[in-house]
Amino acid sequence: MALIKDTAIVLRRLDYSETSQVLVLLTREHGQLRIIAKGIKRSTRNRAAVGIDLLERGRIVFSLRSGKEDGLATLTEWHQEDNYAHLQRSLPRCYAAQYSAEVTSQLTEVLDPHPMLFDGLHRLLDALADEDVLVCLVDYLWLMLKEIGLQPELSRCVSCNGDVAGEPVLHFSSRQGGVICRDCEPAMVEKRRMRSEVAQGLVSGKREDDPAAFDLLDYHLREIMFRPAKLSSPLRAALKIKA
Ligand SMILES: [Zn+2]
């Protein structure tokens, strides 16, 4: 079995046995990876048994049985590069990181590489040290939606392709994949109102400390996943965003 090297961030950790862990990783070159770390929690004379924690980044070496590409990879080496200790000092920052990990693990596929997404998550976890939480969270979610092919169209009506510039209040439909103009809106069942500045801010990349952009993306992700993210309500409470 060939040994493969990569860099990874831990999206989920599941306790597997007294001494082993099963992890869901986002790797830079191989996309999502489900991996077993055998004996990782076994203490040695020089090392306490701690295992690998959620949202740590490390260099990994792993093996993958050929013909079992959807199965569990085996972790043979882990060298921690960062544990983003700053996340532990602020609840909103910690929840923002965990929310991002959760939706990334839900919406990416095993062995489908997205190096830009990995770099974006890495950047988010760094930025959560001191940058505005909503700004860097929205940046990451917008990038993630682009990478997985579900970024909504916010410049033109997705129903009639009409220009929506100049309309102060727009409607957004997750199932239709974007913004709906005033004329098409009455025919749509699944929709919500949005201010046009929110659409402009997302499209132009001019981020502001505005909960409405996150609120819209959280709604879109809920529709895509058919349920809210588990971290959605604690994160919204920590950021004081009303449901
Ligand atoms: Zn229209």
Side-chain angles (χ1 to χ4, degrees):
M1 249 185 302
L3 290 176
I4 307 163
K5 290 182 181 176
D6 208 334
T7 308
I9 295 170
V10 182
L11 300 179
R12 284 181 69 193
R13 50 177 290 191
L14 314 158
D15 277 320
Y16 177 72
S17 70
E18 287 283 297
T19 56
S20 301
Q21 279 182 308
V22 171
L23 303 168
V24 177
L25 306 176
L26 183 68
T27 67
R28 192 170 192 284
E29 308 296 336
H30 298 82
Q32 190 187 118
L33 202 60
R34 287 164 186 265
I35 205 159
I36 182 162
K38 288 179 188 154
I40 193 83
K41 293 191 286 177
R42 194 175 291 137
S43 303
T44 64
R45 204 139 46 106
N46 304 317
R47 183 172 65 88
V50 286
I52 301 169
D53 214 347
L54 188 65
L55 294 166
E56 279 187 36
R57 188 186 79 236
R59 281 178 289 117
I60 61 169
V61 179
F62 67 96
S63 62
L64 200 59
R65 210 186 289 252
S66 59
K68 279 205 160 190
E69 272 77 12
D70 281 346
L72 210 54
T74 303
L75 185 70
T76 56
E77 286 178 46
W78 169 266
H79 304 279
Q80 189 200 78
E81 288 188 326
D82 202 343
N83 65 353
Y84 305 101
H86 52 260
L87 296 176
Q88 304 309 320
R89 295 193 289 269
S90 149
L91 208 53
R93 289 170 192 278
C94 183
Y95 285 158
Q98 289 181 6
Y99 175 97
S100 302
E102 182 189 346
V103 295
T104 304
S105 124
Q106 283 292 317
L107 294 170
T108 53
E109 311 235 346
V110 172
L111 297 174
D112 176 22
H114 290 278
M116 302 273 283
L117 183 64
F118 178 88
D119 294 346
L121 184 59
H122 182 179
R123 197 160 58 234
L124 168 72
L125 297 174
D126 276 338
L128 283 170
D130 49 14
E131 289 176 31
D132 184 89
V133 178
L134 277 169
V135 168
C136 52
L137 178 62
V138 165
D139 246 345
Y140 174 71
L141 297 176
W142 188 246
L143 168 75
M144 183 193 74
L145 288 165
K146 182 179 178 196
E147 286 289 319
I148 63 174
L150 292 170
Q151 193 178 67
E153 166 60 57
L154 298 180
S155 307
R156 307 190 74 80
C157 172
V158 287
S159 178
C160 69
N161 202 33
D163 196 351
V164 293
E167 293 194 35
V169 176
L170 301 167
H171 281 80
F172 172 80
S173 170
S174 177
R175 257 170 265 166
Q176 300 296 324
V179 82
I180 310 284
C181 76
R182 197 170 18 190
D183 297 336
C184 300
E185 174 266 311
M188 301 293 162
V189 178
E190 179 272 314
K191 64 191 167 190
R192 57 175 277 161
R193 283 160 68 93
M194 71 182 295
R195 283 181 287 121
S196 58
E197 302 96 86
V198 174
Q200 284 158 14
L202 281 166
V203 172
S204 68
K206 281 194 203 101
R207 308 273 181 253
E208 280 169 33
D209 177 15
D210 179 3
F214 170 69
D215 197 30
L216 183 84
L217 298 182
D218 188 42
Y219 169 81
H220 186 42
L221 290 167
R222 184 166 74 224
E223 291 292 315
I224 295 169
M225 300 193 298
F226 303 105
R227 59 163 185 82
K230 287 194 189 86
L231 265 296
S232 175
S233 100
L235 173 61
R236 297 175 73 96
L239 293 170
K240 300 185 172 63
I241 299 173
K242 289 195 194 86

